[in-house]
Structure formats: structure tokens, C-alpha cells
Amino acid sequence: MLPATFKLCAGISYRHMRNMTGLRRNALAAIHHELNRLAGPGPSNWISQVRRRSSLLSSRIQEEEVYNEEEMSYVKQGEDALQKAISILSEQDGWTVETVAANGDKVLSKVLPDIGKVFKLEVVMEQHPDNLYEELVEKMEQMGDWNPNVKQVKILQKIGQDTMVTHEVSAETPGNIVGPRDFVSVRCAKRRGSTCFLAGMSTQHPKMPEQKGVIRAENGPTCIVMKPCAEDPSKTKFTWLLSLDLKGWIPKTIINKVLSQTQVDFASHLRNRMANNVSMEMAHAC
């Protein structure tokens, strides 16, 4: 399967724009405005939860590091991906159930103008969001160790605390129905209160041009949102928005099946990884 699990990163380049600091402020202001609009009156809406915890509304520009034009372009792309993903996730209408696993894990989908079909995984994880954030963000390059759908994840460049550019290589599906793909993505990782985000879209990077013999796929906007469950804060409500263009000549029926199954498989592999981490910690404590 594909690392549909990451395709959360990066976008196009904005080299023709010069005032990158101003653009970043504009992007943050847009996120602020979008969350205000999307939160609505419903107190149960997860966007409202993000607001109450000073989420992206209070996205700070306090890390005024000196970025060059290329770095600011990546920062802008990541923040744009986050804004678009939050906008999509906040719209509750129009989702169709693709699959429901025996344990309750659910994948839904909808078709969006200019983007196409997107998928949304909704599951509950037994771990706290902080632990999941550490595994998926801080230990990102280890994902190939526990997710058989992923061959490799490599960080090509880090920009500040929140932004990075990555290269991911997926494994082929069983029977090689869908062959290996690679992705170059910009990722935006945010923590606001007890809610964690990992968003992104495809991008380009000079360190990783297209590779001979490997189809370069595109993704985004994509986003993983992790927040404590209201009933039990030690557990996590885990939502993953996935948007992928696998390229190549693949029937849409196969693509839809592969992507939804990849999301279900990812949840299972992540649970196993976290359970193994706990077992190892207990063994070391003995």
C-alpha cells in the first residue's frame, strides 16, 4: 500500500512573490479568520475545541527567525495546506461511508471541486495525543520500521520548529496492483493546547528530483488531527484527511479501494507500534 499515511504535505512554489514575511502574516491571519468562521456556534464542534485552546487562532509569529525566500515559500505552503485541510474537515455534510472496520474504525469520502475525491479516517486510539505526536512527528523517519506500506521517510530540510520537507517512498500493493510511488512533501506540524496537527501538500525540492523508474505521485491538502477524547482524555480522537493523485493508469475503483484500505491498515499498524512501545517501556522498568 501507499504511505497514504503521510501524504500530508506541501504545495506549489511562490518564487515570484517577494514579501514573504508579509505573506506569512497574511496566511496566519487567514487561518485565524477561517477558524472563526468555521467554528460556528456549536460547542461540540472540534474546531471550537481548537479555538478554546488558543489553537491556530493564536498561531504565533514570535519565532521571527530569518528565513530566505525559498524557506519562506515552504513555510507558506505548509500553512496553506493546514488552512485548506481544516476548512475541509470542518464541513460535516456530504461525506459518504467507504468502509467500517469491525473495531469501529471508519473511512468516509467526498468529492471536492478542484481537488477531487478525498478520504477521512475517524478512529479512537488508546494513547494520549502527545504520545502519538511524538511517534508521527518527532520519530517520523522511523515509520518504515513499523508500517509495511512505507519503505522510507527522509527529512530533506527543516525550517524552524513547525515546517519540514520530506521524501517518502511507498511499498507496492499486494500483487503489485499499484506499484511503488514516491512523494516530496512539505509538512506543517502544530501543537495548540492538547490538540496536535500534521498537515501538508506536495512540493518540489532541489535535493530530490524525480527518480528514474519511480512514479512521483502528488498529495494534499492532507492533515492528521489528534485531540483528547471528551469521555476519556487519555485516549485520542484521531482524524486523518487524505487526498492523493497516484498518477499512472489506474482505474478509479482500484484507487478508491487502495486508499481507503491504506487508511484502515495505517490505524492498525499504528496501534501495534504504540502497544509495542508500551511493552518495551514496561520491560525496561522491570
Side-chain angles (χ1 to χ4, degrees):
M1 301 280 187
L2 318 155
T5 145
F6 311 76
K7 296 0 313 136
L8 2 97
C9 308
I12 57 175
S13 174
Y14 295 84
R15 288 187 174 83
H16 62 289
M17 299 182 178
R18 291 291 182 255
N19 186 10
M20 289 312 206
T21 300
L23 281 175
R24 187 180 183 200
R25 289 196 174 92
N26 289 341
L28 291 172
I31 293 175
H32 182 129
H33 172 77
E34 185 71 6
L35 283 174
N36 268 326
R37 183 183 71 79
L38 295 169
S44 62
N45 188 303
W46 69 267
I47 292 289
S48 298
Q49 303 271 350
V50 177
R51 287 183 60 206
R52 286 197 297 272
R53 296 191 142 97
S54 93
S55 80
L56 299 176
L57 293 177
S58 59
S59 283
R60 57 189 185 276
I61 315 176
Q62 65 188 36
E63 78 276 23
E64 284 295 333
E65 294 143 286
V66 178
Y67 297 141
N68 60 35
E69 184 177 337
E70 181 185 62
E71 291 170 335
M72 281 305 304
S73 174
Y74 288 131
V75 170
K76 174 71 163 54
Q77 291 171 43
E79 289 168 347
D80 283 350
L82 180 57
Q83 179 186 356
K84 291 175 184 177
I86 287 175
S87 179
I88 294 169
L89 287 172
S90 67
E91 294 293 337
Q92 300 300 313
D93 297 331
W95 292 94
T96 300
V97 175
E98 289 281 337
T99 183
V100 179
N103 62 358
D105 291 357
K106 183 188 301 183
V107 177
L108 305 97
S109 68
K110 71 189 303 185
V111 178
L112 300 174
D114 303 322
I115 295 178
K117 194 165 189 177
V118 297
F119 296 82
K120 179 174 66 169
L121 172 72
E122 295 182 340
V123 304
V124 173
M125 295 284 180
E126 298 293 323
Q127 291 77 24
H128 189 275
D130 286 350
N131 298 332
L132 294 168
Y133 183 91
E134 179 183 4
E135 186 64 50
L136 295 177
V137 178
E138 298 175 12
K139 299 179 180 179
M140 183 180 295
E141 291 185 312
Q142 299 178 25
M143 188 173 289
D145 296 341
W146 54 267
N147 187 350
N149 298 331
V150 177
K151 285 186 176 180
Q152 175 183 293
V153 179
K154 182 178 181 180
I155 297 174
L156 301 176
Q157 183 177 356
K158 282 190 174 183
I159 305 103
Q161 296 182 343
D162 300 335
T163 308
M164 66 187 77
V165 182
T166 62
H167 178 240
E168 307 99 40
V169 182
S170 71
E172 65 275 3
T173 61
N176 202 29
I177 296 176
V178 178
R181 297 292 194 272
D182 79 336
F183 305 79
V184 174
S185 308
V186 67
R187 302 169 184 254
C188 177
K190 301 276 188 181
R191 300 180 68 161
R192 293 295 175 261
S194 58
T195 302
C196 305
F197 304 85
L198 178 58
M201 296 176 70
S202 288
T203 193
Q204 297 179 356
H205 195 277
K207 288 184 179 180
M208 192 55 64
E210 292 193 27
Q211 306 294 296
K212 185 177 180 179
V214 180
I215 297 176
R216 174 144 304 172
E218 295 181 357
N219 66 86
T222 313
C223 187
I224 288 177
V225 182
M226 298 166 280
K227 72 185 189 74
C229 292
E231 324 78 65
D232 185 350
S234 66
K235 298 181 180 180
T236 299
K237 181 179 179 182
F238 188 102
T239 304
W240 174 21
L241 175 71
L242 174 64
S243 172
L244 278 184
D245 182 353
L246 298 178
K247 305 297 183 180
W249 299 96
I250 309 173
K252 288 186 177 180
T253 53
I254 293 179
I255 291 176
N256 293 342
K257 182 177 181 180
V258 165
L259 295 185
S260 59
Q261 187 60 48
T262 295
Q263 287 191 297
V264 171
D265 290 346
F266 175 70
S268 177
H269 297 317
L270 180 57
R271 284 194 181 96
N272 291 338
R273 171 68 166 189
M274 301 308 294
N276 289 338
N277 288 348
V278 171
S279 297
M280 292 177 63
E281 290 174 3
M282 293 179 65
H284 290 156
C286 294

